[in-house]
C-alpha cells in the first residue's frame, strides 16, 4: 500500500456536549492508513458520538477532527477564527470516508441494486452502465448478487447490513466507519456480517468499528480503544488489552461481558 | 313515476358540466400540491417568521368552510379592483384550500421518515436538494398516497360549491335543468351518480398506483 | 372596514351562530348513532348486509353533500316527503356523517386484538362487559382524533345549508351582506367565527383524547 504522509484520522482534544452533558471530554487519537481500530466501552461512554464526529454527522464543540490531514467541518477565516464550512465543502473533504449504520439506513423505496447505484449516479456522476457494473461487483463481494431486485423490506437484517456495506464500498472510500454494525441483528445473523468485515480488513481497508463483539475485536483489530465517560481510558494491542487490563473500569467492563457470554448472569 | 329520458335529452350539457367539474378539480389539486409542498417545507423550516406564516395560513384555511373562502375570493378581488372570471376565482379558492390540507398530509409524511435515511444520504455526499428529491420525496409520496387520494375526492365533491359563484359545473347545470323541467329527483340522482363515477375513478386510480408502488 | 355594522347586526349573527350550533349538534348526534348502528349492522356476516353497507358508504361518501341535500329538499316533495329546510339539514348532516363515523368505529374495533376478546370470553365476561371494559377503553384513544376531525368537517359543511335557506350562521352573514352592500365585514366575520368554533372543538377533543389515553401512559 502507498505510504501516505498524513494520518488517516487524527482527533485533537475533541469535545462535545449536549446541554450540560459533556459526552466527549477531550479525545486525542491517531489512526493510520490500513489500520483496523475497534472502539469499545459501556453505553453512554461516547463511542458512537466520537465515530459520528469523524464523519461530521455530529457537530463538535471543541478540538479538531482531521481526515487525511484536512480539518473537517470547520475552516479558519482571515482572522483565524473557526467557522462552519458549507456542507458541500465538508462533504467533498469527507468523500473518502463512509459510515455503515447500526440501523442499516437502506432507502426502502429503492431495490438493492438501486440503493448501491444511486450514490454513484447522483454524487459520483457515473453513467448508468458504469454504476451497474460497479454495483454488481461490490454486491458480489458481500455475497448479495443474487438479491439485486429485492427491496430492503424483503431482506433479513444481516442481508440488509451486507447491502449497506456494499453501498459504501461502491463509492471506494479510503476509510470506513462502522457504528455498531451488528447490534440490531439477531444473533444467528451476526456471523455473516462479521465475515464480510473481516475480508475487508484483510484487503487493507482502514476501518474504525464501534462494537460489542469482543471476540471479533480481538481477532481482527490492530488496536482497541476503551472509552469511559468521554475519555480514552486505555488503548493498545487487543491481545494485551483484553488479557491484561490495567484500569478498574476496563476490568469491570470485560468481566461483565465474559459473564454475559458464558450465561452466568 | 320517474322519467329519466328527460335527463338523456340534456346529456350533452350534463357531460359538459362533468368535464368542467373534473378539470377544475384536477387542476386545483395539482396547483394545490405544489403550493402544499412549499407550505409544508415552510412549516418545517427553522425560520421563525416563515414557520409562523405557514402555520397561520394552514390553520386559517382548515378552520373555515370552503363556501366562505369561495365567497371571499369571489367578492373581495373585484372590491380591490381585480376582475377575474368566476372560473379563475373557483380555481384560486380550491387550490388555496387544498394546499393547506395537502401541506398537513405531506408534513405527516416527512415526519415519519427516520432521521437515519437523511444521515445516510449525507454520508454518501448527497446535497440537501438531492436528499429531498431522491430520498425523502419518493417515500413521502408513497406513504401519503392514500390520504392524497382522499383529498382529491374531497375536492371533487367540494367543487360542487363553485356553482354558487356562477361557474357552470355539473352542479350548476343540474340545478338549472331540475328547476326548468320540474324533475329534481331525476337530475340530482343523475348528478350524484356522475359525481360517484368521478370519485370512484379517482379512488380506483389511487389504489392502482398504490399497488404498483407497494409491490415491494 | 366598518365595524359599526356589527353594532346593528350582532343579534342576527348571534341567532345564526346559535342555530348553527343547534343544527350541528343534532346532526352530529344523529351521525354518531347512525354510524354506530351501521357499523354494528356490518358485523352481521350476510352477503346482502355487507352489500348494503358498502353501497351506503359508497353513495354517501362518493357524492357531494350539496347534491344529497338538494335531492332531499327539492326531490322529497315529489315522492311525498315534505321536509323543512331545517329537517333536511339535520338529516343531511346525519346520513352523510354516519357513513364516515361507521368506518371510524370499524377501525377502532379492529385495533383491539381478537385474543383479548377471546380471553375475556374465556373468563366469563358478557358481550356488553367486553365492550365496556375491554374494547371501549382501548378504542377511545384511537377513535377520538378522527372522530373530532370528522365533527369539524361536518361543522364546516353545515355552511352549505345556507344554500337551502336554513337560517344558520352563513345565512345570517349573507343577509347582513345583502342588506348593507358590504362584503368584507360579514365574510371575514364568518371565517373567524367558524375558525373559533372549530378551534374550540379541536381543543375539547384534545382534552378528551388525553383523558382517554391516561391508562396508556400509566402502563408505560
Amino acid at each position: 500500500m502507498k505510504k501516505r504522509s498524513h494520518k488517516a484520522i487524527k482527533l485533537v482534544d475533541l469535545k462535545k456536549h449536549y446541554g450540560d452533558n459533556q459526552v466527549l471530554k477531550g479525545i486525542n487519537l491517531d489512526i493510520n492508513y490500513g489500520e483496523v481500530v475497534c472502539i469499545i466501552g459501556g453505553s453512554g461512554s461516547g463511542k458512537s458520538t466520537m465515530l459520528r464526529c469523524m464523519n461530521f454527522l455530529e457537530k463538535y464543540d471543541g478540538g479538531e477532527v482531521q481526515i487525511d490531514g484536512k480539518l473537517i467541518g470547520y475552516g479558519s477565516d482571515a482572522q483565524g477564527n473557526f467557522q462552519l464550512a458549507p456542507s458541500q465543502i465538508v462533504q467533498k473533504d469527507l468523500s473518502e470516508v463512509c459510515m455503515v449504520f447500526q440501523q442499516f439506513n437502506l432507502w426502502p423505496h429503492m431495490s438493492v441494486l438501486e440503493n448501491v447505484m444511486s450514490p454513484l449516479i447522483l454524487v459520483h456522476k457515473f453513467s448508468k452502465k458504469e454504476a451497474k457494473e460497479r454495483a454488481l461487483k461490490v454486491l458480489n463481494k458481500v455475497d448479495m448478487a443474487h438479491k439485486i431486485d429485492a427491496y430492503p423490506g424483503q431482506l433479513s437484517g444481516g442481508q440488509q447490513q451486507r447491502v449497506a456495506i456494499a453501498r459504501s464500498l461502491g463509492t471506494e472510500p479510503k476509510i470506513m466507519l462502522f457504528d455498531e454494525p451488528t447490534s440490531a441483528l439477531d444473533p444467528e445473523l451476526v456471523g455473516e456480517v462479521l465475515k464480510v468485515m473481516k475480508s475487508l480488513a484483510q484487503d487493507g481497508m482502514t476501518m474504525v468499528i464501534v462494537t460489542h463483539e469482543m471476540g471479533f475485536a480481538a481477532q481482527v483489530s490492530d488496536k482497541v480503544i476503551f472509552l469511559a465517560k468521554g475519555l480514552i481510558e486505555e488503548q493498545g494491542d487487543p491481545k494485551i488489552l483484553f488479557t491484561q487490563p490495567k484500569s478498574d473500569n476496563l476490568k469491570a467492563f470485560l468481566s461483565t461481558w465474559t459473564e454475559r457470554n458464558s450465561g452466568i448472569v | 313515476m320517474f322519467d329519466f329520458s328527460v335527463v338523456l335529452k340534456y346529456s350533452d350539457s350534463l357531460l359538459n358540466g362533468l368535464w368542467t367539474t373534473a378539470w377544475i378539480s384536477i387542476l386545483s389539486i395539482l396547483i394545490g400540491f405544489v403550493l402544499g409542498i412549499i407550505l409544508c417545507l415552510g412549516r418545517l423550516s427553522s425560520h421563525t417568521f416563515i414557520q409562523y406564516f405557514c402555520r397561520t395560513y394552514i390553520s386559517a384555511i382548515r378552520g373555515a368552510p370552503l363556501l366562505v373562502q369561495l365567497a371571499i375570493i369571489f367578492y373581495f378581488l373585484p372590491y380591490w379592483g381585480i376582475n377575474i372570471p368566476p372560473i379563475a376565482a373557483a380555481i384560486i379558492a380550491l387550490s388555496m384550500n387544498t394546499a393547506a390540507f395537502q401541506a398537513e398530509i405531506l408534513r405527516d409524511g416527512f415526519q415519519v421518515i427516520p432521521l437515519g435515511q437523511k444521515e445516510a444520504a449525507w454520508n454518501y455526499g448527497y446535497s440537501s436538494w438531492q436528499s429531498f428529491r431522491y430520498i425523502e420525496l419518493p417515500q413521502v409520496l408513497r406513504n401519503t398516497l392514500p390520504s392524497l387520494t382522499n383529498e382529491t375526492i374531497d375536492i371533487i365533491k367540494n367543487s360542487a360549491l363553485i356553482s354558487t359563484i356562477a361557474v357552470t359545473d355539473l352542479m350548476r347545470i343540474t340545478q338549472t335543468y331540475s328547476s326548468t323541467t320540474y324533475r329534481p329527483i331525476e337530475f340530482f340522482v343523475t348528478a350524484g351518480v356522475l359525481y360517484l363515477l368521478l370519485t370512484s375513478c379517482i379512488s380506483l386510480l389511487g389504489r392502482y398506483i398504490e399497488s404498483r408502488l407497494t409491490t415491494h | 372596514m366598518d365595524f359599526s355594522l356589527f353594532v346593528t347586526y350582532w343579534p342576527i349573527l348571534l341567532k345564526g351562530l346559535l342555530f348553527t350550533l343547534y343544527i350541528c349538534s343534532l346532526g352530529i348526534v344523529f351521525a354518531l348513532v347512525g354510524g354506530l348502528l351501521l357499523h354494528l349492522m356490518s358485523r352481521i356476516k350476510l352477503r346482502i348486509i355487507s352489500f348494503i353497507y358498502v353501497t351506503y358508504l359508497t353513495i354517501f361518501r362518493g357524492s357531494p353533500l350539496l347534491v344529497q341535500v338538494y335531492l332531499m329538499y327539492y326531490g322529497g316533495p315529489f315522492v311525498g316527503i315534505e321536509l323543512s329546510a331545517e329537517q333536511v339539514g339535520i338529516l343531511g348532516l346525519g346520513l352523510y356523517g354516519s357513513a364516515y363515523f361507521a368506518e371510524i368505529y370499524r377501525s377502532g374495533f379492529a385495533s383491539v386484538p381478537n385474543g383479548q376478546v377471546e380471553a375475556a370470553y374465556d373468563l366469563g365476561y358478557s358481550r356488553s362487559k367486553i365492550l365496556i371494559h375491554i374494547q371501549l377503553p382501548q378504542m377511545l384513544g384511537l377513535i377520538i382524533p378522527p372522530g373530532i376531525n370528522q365533527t369539524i368537517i361536518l361543522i364546516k359543511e353545515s355552511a352549505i345549508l345556507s344554500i337551502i335557506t336554513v337560517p344558520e350562521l352563513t345565512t345570517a352573514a349573507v343577509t347582513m351582506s345583502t342588506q348593507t352592500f358590504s362584503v368584507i365585514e360579514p365574510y371575514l366575520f364568518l371565517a373567524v367565527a367558524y375558525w373559533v368554533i372549530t378551534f374550540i372543538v379541536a381543543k375539547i377533543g384534545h382534552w378528551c383524547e388525553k383523558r382517554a389515553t391516561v391508562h396508556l401512559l400509566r402502563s408505560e
Side-chain angles (χ1 to χ4, degrees):
Chain A
M1 197 176 193
K2 200 181 108 205
K3 268 283 165 206
R4 295 191 184 223
S5 50
H6 293 293
K7 299 282 181 199
I9 301 174
K10 188 178 178 68
L11 306 183
V12 185
D13 198 29
L14 181 67
K15 285 180 183 140
K16 165 85 189 174
H17 64 81
Y18 299 109
D20 289 340
N21 184 15
Q22 192 79 31
V23 190
L24 299 177
K25 297 174 182 162
I27 304 253
N28 290 290
L29 179 65
D30 287 345
I31 295 170
N32 294 312
Y33 277 102
E35 252 182 346
V36 177
V37 176
C38 283
I39 302 168
I40 59 172
S43 64
S45 59
K47 49 193 193 315
S48 276
T49 308
M50 177 175 130
L51 195 76
R52 288 165 63 86
C53 284
M54 293 178 188
N55 201 16
F56 213 60
L57 280 167
E58 300 278 355
K59 296 180 178 61
Y60 45 92
D61 313 315
E64 289 181 9
V65 175
Q66 291 175 21
I67 303 289
D68 196 33
K70 267 179 294 190
L71 180 65
I72 289 303
Y74 296 93
S76 313
D77 64 7
Q79 283 79 42
N81 301 320
F82 268 4
Q83 275 193 335
L84 196 59
S87 63
Q88 300 97 304
I89 293 180
V90 184
Q91 279 177 328
K92 204 162 172 14
D93 291 343
L94 281 170
S95 58
E96 300 192 337
V97 188
C98 216
M99 166 98 71
V100 173
F101 298 88
Q102 181 179 356
Q103 297 297 340
F104 333 127
N105 290 343
L106 291 177
W107 298 309
H109 59 300
M110 301 181 191
S111 70
V112 163
L113 188 63
E114 287 164 344
N115 259 286
V116 182
M117 282 169 66
S118 175
L120 297 174
I121 294 169
L122 288 179
V123 182
H124 298 270
K125 307 298 172 205
F126 278 42
S127 72
K128 255 198 159 151
K129 193 166 153 273
E130 292 167 332
K132 189 168 180 186
E133 257 167 47
R134 171 76 65 81
L136 288 175
K137 200 179 103 192
V138 288
L139 281 168
N140 212 16
K141 183 157 176 65
V142 299
D143 202 14
M144 285 299 294
H146 59 297
K147 286 277 188 189
I148 53 171
D149 291 324
Y151 282 86
Q154 300 166 323
L155 301 178
S156 74
Q159 291 175 322
Q160 289 192 50
Q161 191 60 292
R162 284 189 279 146
V163 173
I165 292 174
R167 186 171 63 173
S168 292
L169 275 181
T171 64
E172 299 201 317
K174 299 288 179 297
I175 302 165
M176 285 181 83
L177 311 175
F178 293 82
D179 188 5
E180 305 198 23
T182 56
S183 296
L185 301 180
D186 291 336
E188 72 272 17
L189 301 175
V190 170
E192 59 188 72
V193 172
L194 293 184
K195 197 177 126 206
V196 169
M197 289 169 64
K198 215 181 281 180
S199 86
L200 288 179
Q202 279 157 4
D203 294 349
M205 175 67 74
T206 310
M207 294 161 78
V208 185
I209 307 161
V210 171
T211 186
H212 291 295
E213 299 291 331
M214 298 305 152
F216 174 78
Q219 214 183 345
V220 182
S221 57
D222 302 304
K223 186 156 76 178
V224 172
I225 290 169
F226 175 64
L227 226 59
K229 298 194 184 92
L231 285 169
I232 295 181
E233 185 142 322
E234 224 172 309
Q235 58 177 310
D237 187 295
K239 288 176 201 75
I240 301 167
L241 191 113
F242 282 133
T243 50
Q244 301 152 29
K246 285 189 222 91
S247 75
D248 292 339
N249 275 334
L250 179 55
K251 278 177 199 162
F253 178 76
L254 288 176
S255 71
T256 343
W257 185 80
T258 329
E259 274 172 26
R260 197 172 51 207
N261 275 271
S262 51
I264 297 172
V265 174
Chain B
M1 183 162 87
F2 299 127
D3 179 16
F4 278 90
S5 64
V6 64
V7 174
L8 280 178
K9 229 166 63 190
Y10 296 101
S11 61
D12 280 356
S13 300
L14 285 171
L15 287 179
N16 264 334
L18 181 66
W19 169 241
T20 308
T21 290
W23 78 257
I24 288 182
S25 306
I26 303 294
L27 182 63
S28 303
I29 279 288
L30 295 178
I31 298 173
F33 178 72
V34 176
L35 291 177
I37 286 191
I38 296 170
L39 272 174
C40 162
L41 293 180
R43 178 76 178 74
L44 295 169
S45 134
S46 48
H47 192 292
T48 324
F49 175 75
I50 294 176
Q51 204 203 84
Y52 270 92
F53 174 81
C54 294
R55 196 186 272 191
T56 311
Y57 177 88
I58 291 170
S59 168
I61 294 278
R62 283 164 53 101
L66 177 61
L67 185 65
V68 175
Q69 291 161 12
L70 263 171
I72 288 179
I73 298 284
F74 188 65
Y75 292 123
F76 280 27
L77 290 180
Y79 190 81
W80 288 323
I82 308 167
N83 279 305
I84 50 170
I87 283 201
I91 292 171
I92 292 174
L94 287 173
S95 309
M96 285 178 70
N97 179 272
T98 184
F101 285 91
Q102 292 192 53
E104 284 298 276
I105 293 170
L106 293 169
R107 188 167 71 99
D108 287 343
F110 276 106
Q111 281 177 337
V112 297
I113 295 183
L115 183 64
Q117 300 279 323
K118 276 181 267 177
E119 287 189 346
W122 151 269
N123 189 31
Y124 295 107
Y126 286 48
S127 67
S128 43
W129 162 250
Q130 283 174 328
S131 174
F132 171 76
R133 166 70 186 78
Y134 295 101
I135 307 301
E136 292 177 70
L137 195 57
Q139 295 189 62
V140 167
L141 289 185
R142 202 183 67 183
N143 295 338
T144 56
L145 190 68
S147 308
L148 291 176
T149 308
N150 275 340
E151 175 60 18
T152 308
I153 290 172
D154 278 347
I155 281 297
I156 290 174
K157 292 196 296 172
N158 287 339
S159 77
L161 294 177
I162 64 179
S163 60
T164 60
I165 56 168
V167 177
T168 48
D169 71 330
L170 178 56
M171 190 68 203
R172 182 84 180 185
I173 287 174
T174 308
Q175 282 166 1
T176 311
Y177 291 134
S178 78
S179 54
T180 53
T181 59
Y182 295 105
R183 290 276 176 194
I185 294 194
E186 287 84 345
F187 274 101
F188 284 116
V189 165
T190 308
V193 169
L194 290 176
Y195 275 109
L196 204 59
L197 273 178
L198 197 55
T199 53
S200 303
C201 285
I202 295 293
S203 147
L204 285 178
L205 183 69
R207 245 178 274 165
Y208 171 74
I209 299 175
E210 214 178 309
S211 70
R212 285 294 301 272
L213 288 176
T214 48
T215 40
H216 37 281
Chain C
M1 290 260 219
D2 179 11
F3 286 103
S4 63
L5 290 175
F6 290 106
V7 177
T8 330
Y9 279 92
W10 74 265
I12 293 180
L13 294 172
L14 182 66
K15 226 173 130 199
L17 175 69
L18 291 177
F19 204 87
T20 285
L21 294 179
Y22 157 76
I23 209 161
C24 285
S25 312
L26 286 184
I28 287 160
V29 168
F30 186 139
L32 279 170
V33 176
L36 186 61
L37 292 178
L38 261 177
H39 168 69
L40 293 177
M41 184 192 90
S42 76
R43 294 167 76 163
I44 300 168
K45 298 269 170 283
L46 270 180
R47 202 173 272 177
I48 177 77
I49 298 274
S50 60
F51 175 77
I52 293 172
Y53 179 75
V54 171
T55 311
Y56 183 91
L57 256 61
T58 313
I59 289 175
F60 281 91
R61 292 164 64 120
S63 63
L65 177 59
L66 191 57
V67 172
Q68 297 166 22
V69 166
Y70 262 112
L71 190 57
M72 280 183 254
Y73 190 60
Y74 293 111
F78 283 83
V79 287
I81 308 168
E82 295 228 22
L83 296 171
S84 69
E86 182 189 327
Q87 287 165 330
V88 167
I90 296 165
L91 195 64
L93 287 176
L95 292 175
Y96 180 76
S98 305
Y100 286 91
F101 279 120
E103 282 290 280
I104 294 174
Y105 289 121
R106 192 186 57 76
S107 66
F109 277 106
S111 71
V112 182
N114 206 27
Q116 295 192 12
V117 178
E118 282 172 3
Y121 260 125
D122 215 37
L123 293 165
Y125 282 56
S126 66
R127 258 219 109 96
S128 58
K129 281 216 175 79
I130 291 177
L131 180 69
I132 293 168
H133 296 284
I134 312 290
Q135 291 175 301
L136 273 180
Q138 302 190 58
M139 280 167 58
L140 277 180
L142 265 148
I143 63 172
I144 288 176
I148 288 297
N149 204 15
Q150 193 54 47
T151 304
I152 288 175
I153 291 174
L154 289 177
I155 292 173
K156 290 192 294 170
E157 295 264 26
S158 75
I160 72 167
L161 299 179
S162 64
I163 300 176
I164 57 161
T165 69
V166 175
E168 46 76 80
L169 184 57
T170 306
T171 312
V174 172
T175 310
M176 172 177 167
S177 174
T178 46
Q179 289 181 359
T180 61
F181 302 106
S182 55
V183 288
I184 303 237
E185 295 84 355
Y187 284 108
L188 274 187
F189 167 79
L190 269 188
V192 173
Y194 279 105
W195 186 85
V196 170
I197 299 172
T198 55
F199 180 81
I200 292 171
V201 172
K203 279 277 173 252
I204 295 172
H206 197 72
W207 182 80
C208 292
E209 187 193 348
K210 253 198 195 148
R211 287 293 302 270
T213 50
V214 165
H215 65 282
L216 297 177
L217 296 173
R218 219 183 287 142
S219 63
E220 263 168 23

